[in-house]
Amino acid sequence: MKTQQEYLDLDKQLLWHPYTSMSKPSPHFLVESASGCEITLSDGRILIDGMSSWWSVIHGYNHPAINSAIQHQLAQFSHVMFGGLTHKPAIELAEKLIAITPDDLQRVFLSDSGSVSVEVALKMAIQYWNTQGKPDKQRFVSPKSGYHGDTFAAMSVCDPENGMHNVFNAALTQQFFISPPPTGIHEPVKTAYLDEIKETFQQHHQHIAGFIIEPVVQNAGGMRFYNPQYLNHIRSLCDEFDILLIFDEIATGFGRTGKLFATDHTNICPDIMCVGKALTGGYMTLAATLTNNKVALGISANDGVFMHGPTFMGNPLACSAANASLSLLSEYSIPEKITQLETWMREALAPCTHLEQVKEIRCLGGIGVVELKNAVNLHEIQPKFVELGVWIRPFGKLIYLMPPYVITKDQIQTLGNAIYHVISEEPC
Ligand SMILES: *Cc1c(COP(=O)(O)O)cnc(C)c1O
């Protein structure tokens, strides 16, 4: 039996963690178990979870309904290849996804992770235009401050500056970037912004396959909320210039913004939509790219096939977890549940307004953000949160909450108190 310290030493020596150095490893905490909204560390400490493990564990950890769905599937089979074979968990999942997403989206491609679902979306767009006799349409427009994943094509449409992507510049397709959407969910639409998009489209539409954007909230690129009206206008511009509209709902999907999908804040439908993260309730990696008949049948015209097929496509265990998670989601009223969560977070974060270190507090649905004036030092601040019994992982100037939907008011209050305490010790 290894001691906790031995495990942690090995971890440091052998394992890469997200965005970390192998010579200056950041502190990591050994987890023993997790249940509901609590993560138990091997040293016995219990942390209230404010992160939903990167926004995925919406129903809490170790949920009996999802556990039992996976166990049931495990007893049948864990995996079969999706080429030539199919299975009920995938079929049921496709049926469910099509039922809950905007009407035009009728076809589903299952893949392994959010980044891959973005790759698939971009490939779909390029292949579609190819079959339409427009093979020059191979590039994409994306607003700055966006985040779409870490694989190459996904990276190419991420924010060109604040990503770490400048290292890869020469290896990335050069895309067209426009300003980030002006912030403020209720701020009136600025026509200058739409003009900027129109100009880019006018100048380059012969080369533009699609426009990719995170609807309503730009997440990892800065937790920026913007008026959904922009999306209605963008839809019209895309139609005008023969450009496919791609929504990346990987972070916003499945209720996080207070509607089932962020798209539901608008009255339009994208041509292609990516979902991931919370799809399996945070149990397993799975993502999906949905599209309309226009794109799907366009690609398939003249004996065309879509050129993608991962080994673990449609993994039955992951699909069964997703089916169970979606059933749970359908049992509660998203608007009520998430509005309540938003109210609790507003209350819990309100005291931070008075701190000199704080620039702005903003909440939307299940997202609560405290933006500081200065960036925090993650290595220093992370252990402080753990000391206070909460799991919160800030980035840059942002300390935020994206808790599981099943969190209680008291637990939110504890998270809020910890944030207040930690910020008050930061330099101004
Ligand atoms: C997390 C995220 C991705 C990437 O998903 P992975 O599963 O980490 O590959 C893509 N787009 C958005 C909006 C995300 O939040």
PDB file of all heavy atoms in Angstrom, residues 55 113-115 147-149 214 248 250-251 277, ligand 1:
ATOM      1  N   TRP A  55     -17.939  21.813 -15.301  1.00  0.00           N
ATOM      2  CA  TRP A  55     -19.280  22.142 -15.793  1.00  0.00           C
ATOM      3  C   TRP A  55     -20.043  20.924 -16.317  1.00  0.00           C
ATOM      4  O   TRP A  55     -20.998  21.050 -17.065  1.00  0.00           O
ATOM      5  CB  TRP A  55     -19.216  23.242 -16.870  1.00  0.00           C
ATOM      6  CG  TRP A  55     -18.080  24.203 -16.683  1.00  0.00           C
ATOM      7  CD1 TRP A  55     -17.379  24.428 -15.506  1.00  0.00           C
ATOM      8  CD2 TRP A  55     -17.467  25.063 -17.644  1.00  0.00           C
ATOM      9  NE1 TRP A  55     -16.394  25.375 -15.701  1.00  0.00           N
ATOM     10  CE2 TRP A  55     -16.426  25.774 -17.003  1.00  0.00           C
ATOM     11  CE3 TRP A  55     -17.718  25.299 -18.990  1.00  0.00           C
ATOM     12  CZ2 TRP A  55     -15.622  26.705 -17.663  1.00  0.00           C
ATOM     13  CZ3 TRP A  55     -16.913  26.229 -19.641  1.00  0.00           C
ATOM     14  CH2 TRP A  55     -15.881  26.921 -18.985  1.00  0.00           C
ATOM     15  N   SER A 113     -15.225  13.673 -27.510  1.00  0.00           N
ATOM     16  CA  SER A 113     -15.019  14.800 -26.603  1.00  0.00           C
ATOM     17  C   SER A 113     -15.484  16.081 -27.282  1.00  0.00           C
ATOM     18  O   SER A 113     -15.727  16.103 -28.500  1.00  0.00           O
ATOM     19  CB  SER A 113     -13.538  14.940 -26.241  1.00  0.00           C
ATOM     20  OG  SER A 113     -12.833  15.467 -27.342  1.00  0.00           O
ATOM     21  N   GLY A 114     -15.573  17.130 -26.501  1.00  0.00           N
ATOM     22  CA  GLY A 114     -16.025  18.405 -27.044  1.00  0.00           C
ATOM     23  C   GLY A 114     -15.166  18.868 -28.203  1.00  0.00           C
ATOM     24  O   GLY A 114     -15.677  19.263 -29.262  1.00  0.00           O
ATOM     25  N   SER A 115     -13.857  18.816 -28.013  1.00  0.00           N
ATOM     26  CA  SER A 115     -12.955  19.269 -29.077  1.00  0.00           C
ATOM     27  C   SER A 115     -13.204  18.498 -30.369  1.00  0.00           C
ATOM     28  O   SER A 115     -13.227  19.085 -31.457  1.00  0.00           O
ATOM     29  CB  SER A 115     -11.492  19.077 -28.657  1.00  0.00           C
ATOM     30  OG  SER A 115     -11.219  19.793 -27.483  1.00  0.00           O
ATOM     31  N   TYR A 147     -13.762  30.084 -26.966  1.00  0.00           N
ATOM     32  CA  TYR A 147     -13.000  28.864 -26.683  1.00  0.00           C
ATOM     33  C   TYR A 147     -13.750  27.675 -27.275  1.00  0.00           C
ATOM     34  O   TYR A 147     -14.938  27.496 -27.012  1.00  0.00           O
ATOM     35  CB  TYR A 147     -12.804  28.654 -25.176  1.00  0.00           C
ATOM     36  CG  TYR A 147     -12.059  27.355 -24.908  1.00  0.00           C
ATOM     37  CD1 TYR A 147     -10.689  27.286 -25.108  1.00  0.00           C
ATOM     38  CD2 TYR A 147     -12.743  26.198 -24.543  1.00  0.00           C
ATOM     39  CE1 TYR A 147     -10.009  26.084 -24.937  1.00  0.00           C
ATOM     40  CE2 TYR A 147     -12.062  24.998 -24.360  1.00  0.00           C
ATOM     41  CZ  TYR A 147     -10.700  24.948 -24.557  1.00  0.00           C
ATOM     42  OH  TYR A 147     -10.036  23.758 -24.402  1.00  0.00           O
ATOM     43  N   HIS A 148     -13.052  26.855 -28.061  1.00  0.00           N
ATOM     44  CA  HIS A 148     -13.713  25.725 -28.707  1.00  0.00           C
ATOM     45  C   HIS A 148     -12.947  24.420 -28.566  1.00  0.00           C
ATOM     46  O   HIS A 148     -13.296  23.448 -29.225  1.00  0.00           O
ATOM     47  CB  HIS A 148     -13.959  26.043 -30.181  1.00  0.00           C
ATOM     48  CG  HIS A 148     -14.827  27.248 -30.388  1.00  0.00           C
ATOM     49  ND1 HIS A 148     -16.181  27.242 -30.129  1.00  0.00           N
ATOM     50  CD2 HIS A 148     -14.518  28.528 -30.761  1.00  0.00           C
ATOM     51  CE1 HIS A 148     -16.677  28.450 -30.368  1.00  0.00           C
ATOM     52  NE2 HIS A 148     -15.699  29.249 -30.741  1.00  0.00           N
ATOM     53  N   GLY A 149     -11.897  24.392 -27.755  1.00  0.00           N
ATOM     54  CA  GLY A 149     -11.187  23.136 -27.542  1.00  0.00           C
ATOM     55  C   GLY A 149      -9.720  23.235 -27.903  1.00  0.00           C
ATOM     56  O   GLY A 149      -9.255  24.275 -28.374  1.00  0.00           O
ATOM     57  N   GLU A 214     -19.942  30.526 -29.378  1.00  0.00           N
ATOM     58  CA  GLU A 214     -20.636  30.007 -28.196  1.00  0.00           C
ATOM     59  C   GLU A 214     -21.850  30.911 -27.973  1.00  0.00           C
ATOM     60  O   GLU A 214     -21.682  32.108 -27.742  1.00  0.00           O
ATOM     61  CB  GLU A 214     -19.729  30.090 -26.965  1.00  0.00           C
ATOM     62  CG  GLU A 214     -18.494  29.216 -27.012  1.00  0.00           C
ATOM     63  CD  GLU A 214     -17.380  29.776 -26.124  1.00  0.00           C
ATOM     64  OE1 GLU A 214     -16.615  30.644 -26.607  1.00  0.00           O
ATOM     65  OE2 GLU A 214     -17.290  29.370 -24.957  1.00  0.00           O
ATOM     66  N   ASP A 248     -21.532  26.375 -30.629  1.00  0.00           N
ATOM     67  CA  ASP A 248     -20.818  25.503 -29.701  1.00  0.00           C
ATOM     68  C   ASP A 248     -21.515  25.613 -28.349  1.00  0.00           C
ATOM     69  O   ASP A 248     -21.294  26.561 -27.603  1.00  0.00           O
ATOM     70  CB  ASP A 248     -19.346  25.939 -29.628  1.00  0.00           C
ATOM     71  CG  ASP A 248     -18.536  25.104 -28.650  1.00  0.00           C
ATOM     72  OD1 ASP A 248     -19.145  24.366 -27.855  1.00  0.00           O
ATOM     73  OD2 ASP A 248     -17.295  25.206 -28.671  1.00  0.00           O
ATOM     74  N   ILE A 250     -21.229  23.373 -25.988  1.00  0.00           N
ATOM     75  CA  ILE A 250     -20.572  22.390 -25.120  1.00  0.00           C
ATOM     76  C   ILE A 250     -20.605  22.840 -23.660  1.00  0.00           C
ATOM     77  O   ILE A 250     -20.820  22.032 -22.762  1.00  0.00           O
ATOM     78  CB  ILE A 250     -19.142  22.129 -25.622  1.00  0.00           C
ATOM     79  CG1 ILE A 250     -19.202  21.415 -26.980  1.00  0.00           C
ATOM     80  CG2 ILE A 250     -18.335  21.305 -24.614  1.00  0.00           C
ATOM     81  CD1 ILE A 250     -17.901  21.398 -27.746  1.00  0.00           C
ATOM     82  N   ALA A 251     -20.449  24.132 -23.423  1.00  0.00           N
ATOM     83  CA  ALA A 251     -20.509  24.633 -22.044  1.00  0.00           C
ATOM     84  C   ALA A 251     -21.924  25.057 -21.652  1.00  0.00           C
ATOM     85  O   ALA A 251     -22.346  24.872 -20.518  1.00  0.00           O
ATOM     86  CB  ALA A 251     -19.555  25.806 -21.878  1.00  0.00           C
ATOM     87  N   LYS A 277     -19.556  18.134 -22.589  1.00  0.00           N
ATOM     88  CA  LYS A 277     -19.474  18.387 -21.139  1.00  0.00           C
ATOM     89  C   LYS A 277     -20.595  17.711 -20.316  1.00  0.00           C
ATOM     90  O   LYS A 277     -20.417  16.597 -19.881  1.00  0.00           O
ATOM     91  CB  LYS A 277     -19.396  19.884 -20.879  1.00  0.00           C
ATOM     92  CG  LYS A 277     -18.007  20.437 -21.232  1.00  0.00           C
ATOM     93  CD  LYS A 277     -17.693  21.750 -20.534  1.00  0.00           C
ATOM     94  CE  LYS A 277     -16.207  22.038 -20.571  1.00  0.00           C
ATOM     95  NZ  LYS A 277     -15.751  22.752 -21.766  1.00  0.00           N
TER      96      LYS A 277
HETATM   97  C1  LIG B   1     -14.812  22.587 -22.870  1.00  0.00           C
HETATM   98  C2  LIG B   1     -15.213  23.163 -24.157  1.00  0.00           C
HETATM   99  C3  LIG B   1     -14.793  22.596 -25.377  1.00  0.00           C
HETATM  100  C4  LIG B   1     -13.843  21.426 -25.448  1.00  0.00           C
HETATM  101  O1  LIG B   1     -14.391  20.264 -24.918  1.00  0.00           O
HETATM  102  P1  LIG B   1     -13.409  19.070 -24.442  1.00  0.00           P
HETATM  103  O2  LIG B   1     -14.358  17.994 -24.020  1.00  0.00           O
HETATM  104  O3  LIG B   1     -12.588  19.622 -23.323  1.00  0.00           O
HETATM  105  O4  LIG B   1     -12.588  18.687 -25.614  1.00  0.00           O
HETATM  106  C5  LIG B   1     -15.236  23.176 -26.552  1.00  0.00           C
HETATM  107  N1  LIG B   1     -16.061  24.238 -26.529  1.00  0.00           N
HETATM  108  C6  LIG B   1     -16.502  24.798 -25.390  1.00  0.00           C
HETATM  109  C7  LIG B   1     -17.435  25.956 -25.434  1.00  0.00           C
HETATM  110  C8  LIG B   1     -16.076  24.285 -24.157  1.00  0.00           C
HETATM  111  O5  LIG B   1     -16.485  24.858 -23.023  1.00  0.00           O
END
